[in-house]
Amino acid sequence: METEKIAQVDPSSTSIDSLLNDEEDQQNGVGLLESSQLTETTSSSIVTEPTNASLTPFQTKFIIVLLVICNFMIANGVSLQGPFYPKEAENKGATPIIYSSIFAIYELVMLITSFIFGNLVECYRPNLMSGIGLTITGVSTTIFGLMTYLHSHLYFIVSSFTLRIIESLGATAFATSSYSFISVCFPDRTATMFAMMETFFGLGVITGPVLGGFLYDLGGFFVPFASTGSVMTICGLIMISRPVGSLFAHGKQIGERQTTVKNDGSTSRKNLSNDVPDFDDLLVPINEPLEENETETLEKITLGLFLSSPIVLIDSFIIITAITLMGFNSATLEPFLRHENITSNTLCTSLAFVAIGASYAFTAILWGKACDRYPENLLYFAIVGSIMTTIGLVLIGPLPFLYESIKPNLWIVMGCMVLFGIGTAAKQVAGYTHALNYTIQRRKFPPNQQTYGYISGMFFSCLSFGGFVGPIIGGLLVENWNYQYATLAMMIIELLVLLVLIVLLTCCATFRLQNNLRS
């Protein structure tokens, strides 16, 4: 009888309530109930309880494609107005300093708000801040195209500043949230993902002016902004949608589980090397949490504590100088080519700018893969980038004492642009990855989205600061001296970067050698 009774209990056809009412099978029934509830909860809302399964190849590709497309559109929207907005602004009565300030306010707002948004990323679902930021940017970009219908000089300027500020706020929210998310979701290939995002951002910067100029000729001032803004808005709404939110939350939890893989419960990152020198400990002894108080210390992590590390400040300095050079170049290259009679052709001048953007975009992903594969060599990668940048600064002017020996021509300029692009990509990717790895491995910051938000906030603050001061430095140097002496000043800054990197690398190697001799 008992055998017949058990045989009648078919889990596929019998309800869980009947199993619970059967005292003989109560334990089995409870187990099935818990399993069913877990499966049902997971299926209905990955946000509340993601499964332990890894992301499928399709899910991984979807996340990557969505983020790089959004990043591409952000860059496209930033740069598309370059070929035609100054002309439109002058027709409305704006002076060059005014419309230059309208461009610069974007970087200034990003500089001020990057750390604010970086501090907020942990408070919201991974997709929410990115989606809302992208939607705000898309809507404000579309409305920006309506500025052409404002005939009042004052209304045009005030509205342009206001919309540019709103656009920057949305872009900053998207950027800090998305960059911190990829660090959580892909802990074993953060540098590669970061470089991929930068690659598509570079492609957006390259294609933005070309697409903007084409659409402007095709349909006037409104069409470029409306087209780009509409695509950004659609991408933002897709990002906010519930399925994408569930997928992002699932990816975040999987990434966090991959980060904490040690059996003893301590934190590690898969892409970190055990060869990171202990010399870093000497630089920030007050920031290194004590072993017995580590849990208590991690609970008190603040932005001030994150920025108090000399290593993080050095990484920030590397990133700032890389972008400062790009800004310097954007403000001084065209007048240099024209005044030196190298070329006055607009197409040739545009190709020089494309050369630096393309070399940056296409090599950033290679530097990212190298940083992921050889994380112990990050300082070497930054040194290589600094050397390439220095060589470019020596030759492009050339320097005053070489002017009689080397006459600048278009081919030399194009070659130097390529060196600038490759060197800038190396310094940025290595600097970001080094700050990330050092903060989590050496300083024991928790590998959560708050920490990644601080790091991405640092990165975009550095980008904004460099992008803001670069054109100003370039304009002041060229106005008071000439291009050759301006590049000499930039080369001195680059040599300082190179010296800091070499000293840090030497000290790390010396300290590691002393430790090996003691052991």
Side-chain angles (χ1 to χ4, degrees):
M1 290 293 295
E2 185 173 345
T3 304
E4 293 178 358
K5 184 178 181 181
I6 294 176
Q8 293 173 357
V9 181
D10 184 2
S12 63
S13 59
T14 305
S15 66
I16 294 177
D17 291 335
S18 63
L19 290 176
L20 289 172
N21 293 330
D22 191 341
E23 294 181 356
E24 295 179 1
D25 298 319
Q26 185 172 5
Q27 293 181 349
N28 293 335
V30 171
L32 289 171
L33 176 63
E34 292 174 349
S35 176
S36 175
Q37 288 176 338
L38 178 60
T39 303
E40 182 180 354
T41 304
T42 303
S43 301
S44 62
S45 178
I46 299 177
V47 175
T48 56
E49 190 65 37
T51 65
N52 292 325
S54 300
L55 291 173
T56 66
F58 175 79
Q59 290 173 327
T60 302
K61 291 177 182 178
F62 178 82
I63 291 174
I64 295 173
V65 170
L66 179 61
L67 289 177
V68 297
I69 289 177
C70 294
N71 211 40
F72 174 84
M73 294 308 303
I74 287 284
N76 218 285
V78 171
S79 59
L80 67 87
Q81 66 267 40
F84 58 87
Y85 181 79
K87 176 183 175 181
E88 187 77 15
E90 288 178 357
N91 292 336
K92 299 295 185 181
T95 61
I97 187 63
I98 291 178
Y99 62 71
S100 296
S101 299
I102 292 173
F103 285 152
I105 196 68
Y106 186 97
E107 303 289 349
L108 182 61
V109 171
M110 184 171 280
L111 170 65
I112 296 172
T113 60
S114 289
F115 276 116
I116 297 176
F117 284 115
N119 196 33
L120 293 175
V121 293
E122 185 68 13
C123 303
Y124 301 95
R125 287 184 287 123
N127 66 309
L128 190 60
M129 184 181 291
S130 296
I132 293 177
L134 192 60
T135 304
I136 291 174
T137 302
V139 172
S140 60
T141 300
T142 303
I143 298 175
F144 199 97
L146 298 175
M147 295 298 99
T148 187
Y149 300 110
L150 293 178
H151 300 292
S152 169
H153 166 74
L154 179 62
Y155 287 168
F156 178 84
I157 293 175
V158 172
S159 300
S160 295
F161 269 111
T162 302
L163 289 172
R164 191 72 170 166
I165 291 172
I166 296 173
E167 183 183 350
S168 179
L169 289 171
T172 307
F174 167 80
T176 52
S177 179
S178 59
Y179 274 65
S180 62
F181 171 72
I182 63 174
S183 299
V184 178
C185 189
F186 305 101
D188 57 335
R189 43 181 166 159
T190 300
T192 300
M193 289 301 304
F194 166 80
M196 186 178 297
M197 297 280 282
E198 284 299 291
T199 295
F200 278 85
F201 187 88
L203 291 175
V205 171
I206 295 170
T207 60
V210 178
L211 181 63
F214 172 76
L215 293 176
Y216 177 78
D217 292 337
L218 187 67
F221 187 84
F222 176 71
V223 174
F225 295 102
S227 302
T228 304
S230 299
V231 175
M232 279 195 285
T233 303
I234 293 172
C235 290
L237 294 176
I238 293 174
M239 186 82 73
I240 298 173
S241 65
R242 183 175 179 82
V244 173
S246 299
L247 178 60
F248 273 48
H250 186 38
K252 174 185 176 182
Q253 187 160 359
I254 289 174
E256 290 174 344
R257 289 195 182 113
Q258 290 176 349
T259 304
T260 54
V261 296
K262 288 187 178 180
N263 294 330
D264 58 1
S266 61
T267 300
S268 67
R269 286 174 56 87
K270 182 179 177 181
N271 69 327
L272 294 182
S273 169
N274 293 329
D275 295 332
V276 176
D278 291 334
F279 172 76
D280 291 343
D281 296 337
L282 297 180
L283 295 177
V284 283
I286 61 172
N287 296 330
E288 198 71 39
L290 297 176
E291 200 69 35
E292 59 271 15
N293 297 327
E294 184 171 320
T295 302
E296 180 182 353
T297 304
L298 294 182
E299 293 175 354
K300 299 179 181 179
I301 284 176
T302 62
L303 178 60
L305 179 62
F306 169 72
L307 292 176
S308 65
S309 167
I311 294 293
V312 171
L313 296 180
I314 290 174
D315 292 329
S316 301
F317 177 60
I318 294 170
I319 297 171
I320 288 173
T321 54
I323 298 302
T324 299
L325 176 61
M326 300 284 275
F328 166 87
N329 187 71
S330 66
T332 60
L333 181 61
E334 189 277 331
F336 166 68
L337 295 177
R338 180 162 32 90
H339 294 156
E340 291 289 336
N341 295 320
I342 297 174
T343 181
S344 58
N345 186 286
T346 304
L347 177 60
C348 292
T349 303
S350 300
L351 289 176
F353 284 100
V354 169
I356 187 172
S359 59
Y360 171 84
F362 291 119
T363 59
I365 187 66
L366 300 178
W367 287 117
K369 289 183 178 296
C371 290
D372 273 335
R373 186 168 183 178
Y374 306 104
E376 69 277 7
N377 294 327
L378 296 177
L379 293 178
Y380 290 105
F381 297 148
I383 288 174
V384 170
S386 184
I387 291 174
M388 297 181 74
T389 302
T390 302
I391 294 173
L393 288 168
V394 169
L395 297 177
I396 191 172
L399 293 183
F401 54 84
L402 295 175
Y403 189 76
E404 297 298 327
S405 303
I406 303 176
K407 292 298 181 180
N409 58 60
L410 187 59
W411 290 108
I412 292 178
V413 171
M414 295 288 284
C416 292
M417 291 297 103
V418 172
L419 288 175
F420 289 161
I422 298 174
T424 298
K427 291 170 62 180
Q428 279 192 213
V429 176
Y432 175 86
T433 308
H434 189 265
L436 176 65
N437 290 358
Y438 170 74
T439 299
I440 293 177
Q441 186 186 41
R442 301 305 307 165
R443 300 184 72 195
K444 310 300 183 185
F445 274 45
N448 57 27
Q449 200 157 0
Q450 180 183 17
T451 299
Y452 297 131
Y454 285 151
I455 297 170
S456 61
M458 175 212 75
F459 174 74
F460 285 104
S461 292
C462 293
L463 290 188
S464 303
F465 183 75
F468 181 72
V469 303
I472 297 176
I473 292 176
L476 290 175
L477 290 174
V478 171
E479 183 176 343
N480 291 280
W481 290 284
N482 58 36
Y483 188 79
Q484 286 73 31
Y485 282 98
T487 54
L488 175 61
M490 294 302 297
M491 191 196 73
I492 292 173
I493 295 175
E494 197 60 46
L495 288 176
L496 177 61
V497 175
L498 188 59
L499 178 62
V500 169
L501 288 169
I502 292 175
V503 170
L504 180 59
L505 184 64
T506 303
C507 292
C508 291
T510 302
F511 190 76
R512 187 188 301 117
L513 179 61
Q514 291 176 350
N515 277 351
N516 292 337
L517 291 176
R518 289 171 187 165
S519 59

